[in-house]
Amino acid sequence: MNLSSDIKQAFGRAARWLASLSFRTGCIVAGVAGVCYVVSFAQMLLPISLAAKGTLWVVFFGMAKAAQYTALLILGKEGWRRVRSAWRRRSASADAE
């Protein structure tokens, strides 16, 4: 075996394991991604050095992207449809009030 096929197998195992997690877990990970996105930009309001702001942005934005793609792997196509339809129903009921 070569290193390339070993890496592909490892990623395949990880993707299958993530896909086996529950819909609720995927929603929680998506929420974590949202919080990381907010923190990555909100920290710009802190009175700290520019270097520290840049470092915090890179760390939290990277965590947000990692959590976002992990949530997509967990939820899958059908799970993402469920999230979108629930979001649409929620906004439609808020508009009706």
Side-chain angles (χ1 to χ4, degrees):
M1 292 248 161
N2 60 14
L3 184 60
S4 176
S5 68
D6 290 343
I7 291 173
K8 285 180 184 179
Q9 286 179 350
F11 276 122
R13 282 192 303 269
R16 283 191 300 276
W17 176 72
L18 286 171
S20 72
L21 296 175
S22 71
F23 175 77
R24 181 177 177 170
T25 303
C27 290
I28 291 169
V29 173
V32 168
V35 169
C36 287
Y37 276 121
V38 169
V39 171
S40 74
F41 290 103
Q43 56 80 28
M44 294 294 179
L45 301 174
L46 295 174
I48 56 178
S49 72
L50 190 59
K53 288 180 182 184
T55 302
L56 285 173
W57 183 83
V58 167
V59 168
F60 281 105
F61 195 77
M63 288 171 48
K65 280 296 182 188
Q68 175 188 356
Y69 289 121
T70 302
L72 288 173
L73 276 172
I74 294 170
L75 291 172
K77 185 176 179 181
E78 289 303 314
W80 187 243
R81 281 189 186 153
R82 282 178 63 185
V83 169
R84 281 194 333 210
S85 67
W87 193 266
R88 287 179 185 153
R89 281 193 308 263
R90 189 173 137 191
S91 65
S93 66
D95 290 342
E97 291 176 1

